[in-house]
Amino acid sequence: MLAMTDAAAEAISALTTQEGKQETGGLRFAVQAQQEEGAQLALSLAEQPEAGDQVLGTDDGARVFLEPQAAQFLDDKVLDVQQDDEGQLNFAVMPAPAVGV
């Protein structure tokens, strides 16, 4: 299952609040194009999940909606947010850290 960093959760909460969608809205991932080495994902703010979406949430109200193909692709990933040189926030999907053996 996709994991979310605290920074990503805060950014999602801020975005949905800013867009007036804090009650039911969230960040939605959908597969835009399937490729041999992975998938190209489309990211959007959604007012609510679509039928079949997997819904992830945090205690502070951040919600992520994953369409079924995206959920499969993101199963072992972590969603983070990073700030670029111009101060823009960019969401990044990274491999989950390996659990110590």
Side-chain angles (χ1 to χ4, degrees), residues 86-97:
E86 294 153 15
Q88 289 281 65
L89 292 179
N90 296 299
F91 287 99
V93 176
M94 303 172 299

Side-chain angles (χ1 to χ4, degrees), residues 56-74:
L56 308 176
T58 64
D59 292 340
D60 67 358
R63 291 169 31 125
V64 174
F65 311 137
L66 303 171
E67 67 97 19
Q69 272 189 299
Q72 187 176 10
F73 178 72
L74 295 169

Side-chain angles (χ1 to χ4, degrees), residues 12-31:
I12 292 167
S13 291
L15 277 173
T16 54
T17 299
Q18 180 180 324
E19 294 294 319
K21 298 176 181 174
Q22 67 271 23
E23 294 299 315
T24 60
L27 195 62
R28 185 169 193 272
F29 284 91
V31 171

